[in-house]
């Protein structure tokens, strides 16, 4: 089986084959560093961290995730706080890596910063001017969208319709309203670099094109990001990279994650419902947040609520409960593999809901297994699955000790139910009743049915 990914440009799931045998390049648009990442920003970081882990099983991967450290929003944040721009960007780059690290996001291979790639941007802009794809106007350099006949191919927009539907042009120096800024002039109080077009700073889109080319080459295998970046950011990256590189394919696969909403509402400052990862990790284990983010398929919308968190926590309790108390020798752990079906689900366009179902099937098999060797082997496979998905990274005893809320975990409940059923089979009704009372005291109602015993928490 080959890995399959949904490609935004083609609008369907396709088999993935890298350009160079055995090697893959992937670029993910990273954050603009002027504040803490919110839980929506964490979704692409976690989803594409998982994709990187999936790819690394088969390929030598070079994964770049940039920092946009020059941007008008950063300038505004610096002005508002009275701090130097470099202090702001340094603070939030560190915070981003710390926060994503808490969610099990591994460091990418390269983390290019826009301000360290200005030369590459100037070179690319010059190439675009030389080839007739960009023009200088009023101190700015703009990309001429009419010079690239495939403009709109990624976001499936028709350039003529876009131009016809445009409002009255706000920047009179643009030839077409859709022309976008490659370079703009800077005033002395703003960050700026000398260039053939005077002292200025780059537009956002050219930053990613230049950093991708510098670190991954003219053609990259996978370009990833949130759905909101398809237009205009990725459409513009695609246009300018293709035109600067004489038609070379820019990205062979475009992969985009769906959006996260907050209790069915858009997350926005005006609604006051922006939840920062930095705050969440103070009270919720990073793995719970990670699993909650991976709970829905990455292209589907994901609604964040108390329920999302609670259900992820219970799922992890069940997984940790299954491996608790089992000693897997290091040599066995190093050799262990996740079940083929779990890997197949992840390789099928990162199908995390299916992968989690396979994870639970494995946990169930382990819970049922009686032979000690079987239990160790299954536990090793559980841990290997955890390593692949960035879960089960804590010691199970620490995990349960960390709860501290007195609530019985799902694994503990399952274990008690098993104990009760075993007692009943052995006609030890006193023990069976005592366990039922213990569960009842903890607010757990159990029901015996044809397919076994089920439980629920009474509110
Ligand atoms: P930004 O710093 O706004 O450019 O966003 C960084 C990344 O987070 C981009 O890949 C966005 O697409 C993504 N993103 C922003 N908001 C959300 C959201 N609510 N749900 C999912 N992804 C988001
Ligand atoms: Zn980008």
């Amino acid at each position: 089986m080959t890995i399959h990914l949904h490609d935004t440009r083609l609008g369907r799931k396709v088999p993935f084959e890298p350009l160079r045998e055995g090697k893959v390049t992937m670029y993910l648009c990273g954050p603009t560093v002027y504040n803490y990442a919110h839980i929506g920003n964490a979704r692409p970081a976690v989803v594409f961290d998982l994709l990187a882990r999936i790819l690394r099983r088969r390929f030598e991967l070079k994964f770049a995730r940039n920092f946009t450290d020059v941007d008008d929003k950063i300038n505004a944040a610096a002005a508002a706080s009275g701090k130097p721009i470099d202090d702001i960007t340094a603070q939030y780059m560190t915070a981003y890596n710390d926060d994503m690290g808490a969610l099990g996001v591994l460091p990418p291979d390269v983390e290019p910063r826009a301000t360290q790639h200005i030369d590459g941007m100037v070179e690319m802009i010059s190439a675009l001017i030389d080839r007739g794809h960009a023009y200088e106007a009023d101190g700015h350099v703009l990309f001429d969208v009419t010079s690239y006949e495939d403009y709109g191919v990624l976001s499936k927009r028709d350039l003529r319709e876009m131009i016809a539907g445009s409002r009255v042009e706000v920047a009179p120096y643009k030839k077409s309203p859709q022309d976008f800024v490659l370079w703009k002039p800077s005033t002395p109080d703003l960050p700026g670099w000398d260039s053939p077009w005077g002292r200025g700073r780059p537009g956002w889109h050219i930053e990613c094109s230049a950093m991708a080319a510098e670190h991954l080459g003219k053609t990259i295998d996978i370009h990833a990001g949130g759905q909101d970046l398809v237009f205009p950011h990725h459409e513009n990256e695609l246009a300018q990279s293709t035109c600067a590189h004489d038609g070379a394919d820019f990205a062979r696969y475009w992969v985009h994650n769906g959006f996260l909403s907050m209790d069915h509402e858009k997350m926005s400052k005006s609604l006051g419902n922006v939840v920062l990862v930095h705050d969440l990790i103070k009270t919720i284990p990073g793995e719970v947040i990670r699993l909650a983010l991976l709970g829905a398929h990455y292209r589907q919308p994901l609604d964040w609520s108390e329920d999302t968190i609670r259900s992820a926590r219970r799922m992890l309790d069940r997984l940790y409960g299954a491996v608790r108390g089992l000693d897997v020798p290091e040599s066995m752990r190093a050799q262990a593999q996740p079940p083929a079906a779990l890997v197949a689900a992840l390789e099928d366009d990162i199908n995390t809901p299916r992968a989690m179902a396979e994870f639970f099937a494995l946990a169930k098999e382990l819970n049922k297994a009686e032979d000690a060797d079987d239990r160790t082997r299954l536990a090793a496979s559980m841990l290997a699955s955890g390593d692949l998905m960035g879960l089960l990274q804590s010691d199970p005893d620490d995990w349960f000790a960390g709860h501290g809320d007195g609530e019985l975990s799902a694994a503990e409940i399952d274990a008690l139910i098993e104990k009760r059923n075993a007692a009943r089979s052995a006609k030890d009704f006193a023990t069976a009743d005592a366990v039922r009372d213990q569960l009842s005291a903890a607010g757990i109602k159990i029901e015996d049915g044809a397919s076994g015993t089920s439980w629920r928490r009474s509110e």
Side-chain angles (χ1 to χ4, degrees), residues 53-182:
R53 291 163 182 256
I54 296 166
L55 291 165
R56 285 191 211 280
R57 291 185 79 252
R58 289 181 183 239
F59 304 104
E60 187 187 315
L61 172 70
K62 187 163 182 195
F63 175 27
R65 187 191 65 204
N66 74 290
F67 281 120
T68 293
D69 61 348
V70 48
D71 186 278
D72 290 349
K73 283 178 281 199
I74 302 176
N75 302 338
S81 67
K83 287 193 200 162
I85 286 173
D86 288 351
D87 288 8
I88 298 276
T89 55
Q91 175 189 352
Y92 290 114
M93 279 189 285
T94 305
Y96 184 81
N97 280 343
D98 288 351
D99 293 348
M100 295 309 121
L103 306 189
V105 173
L106 299 172
D109 301 290
V110 265
E111 289 179 286
R113 294 171 52 178
T115 52
Q116 293 173 353
H117 295 77
I118 302 291
D119 288 352
M121 296 173 207
V122 168
E123 224 171 85
M124 203 173 223
I125 297 168
S126 302
L128 288 169
I129 296 175
D130 290 349
R131 287 161 174 72
H133 292 293
Y135 59 96
E136 207 183 334
D138 211 11
H140 293 66
V141 183
L142 294 135
F143 184 89
D144 176 0
V145 289
T146 61
S147 76
Y148 178 52
E149 64 173 18
D150 279 343
Y151 190 81
V153 69
L154 180 66
S155 57
K156 302 184 181 51
R157 287 165 199 239
D158 185 286
L159 182 58
R160 273 161 306 181
E161 281 174 20
M162 276 193 271
I163 292 175
S166 297
R167 305 233 186 119
V168 180
E169 184 44 62
V170 282
Y173 48 82
K174 286 188 182 183
K175 286 190 195 165
S176 305
Q178 273 63 36
D179 290 353
F180 55 90
V181 169
L182 299 169

Side-chain angles (χ1 to χ4, degrees), residues 13 16 56 69 76 93 137 178 208 267 299 339 348 391 417:
K13 198 159 73 175
F16 170 74
R56 285 191 211 280
D69 61 348
M93 279 189 285
Q178 273 63 36
C208 285
M267 206 182 344
R299 284 190 288 112
D348 181 12
L391 304 172
I417 289 176

